Amino acid sequence: MDKPKPVCQRKGDCCRSFPGWFGPGEVEKAAQHLGMEVDDFARKYLIIDGIEVEGHGWVDVFAPVRLNKHGLPAFPLLSRVDVFYRYFEGPCIFFKENGCILYPCHPIECRHYFCGQPEEENLSHQEIARMWIDGNA
Ligand code: SF4
């Protein structure tokens, strides 16, 4: 018998601490969802994170910026963040009172993450970086 599909409980625990990475083509869809030009959307909401992928070197990936305790971007927008970003816990800029304002165009990492799901079933940053190399999500 197939295992039941996990369902997002919409608790927002992950959104309050670790925003997910976008896959290729998703920034454009998210910008369109908010009725914005892609450049404006990126300048207002995103940072550039990344990871080293064997055989490809460093791969840059877009991600939502995290907010500080004043509700402001905790890192310069569209900057390439460093290791401090990984340890900084702050809510995702897209997380509002009623949940994710990007839903249903939220990033691929968020779409694959479910509370309580075994770690190996989450989408890893290596897997997402490889999607950027291949150009598809
Ligand atoms: S993009 Fe949406 S689903 Fe993903 S962490 Fe931010 S608020 Fe949550």
Side-chain angles (χ1 to χ4, degrees), residues 14-16 18-20 22 64 92-96 99-103 106-107 110-111:
C14 51
C15 309
R16 285 191 189 87
F18 296 109
F22 285 93
C92 172
I93 195 166
F94 297 117
F95 186 64
K96 306 291 179 205
C100 176
I101 61 169
L102 288 187
Y103 197 86
H106 50 323
C110 309
R111 297 203 310 276

Side-chain angles (χ1 to χ4, degrees), residues 28-42:
E28 292 84 344
K29 284 183 194 157
Q32 194 178 26
H33 183 71
L34 296 187
M36 295 176 73
E37 294 295 328
V38 177
D39 287 356
D40 296 339
F41 175 86

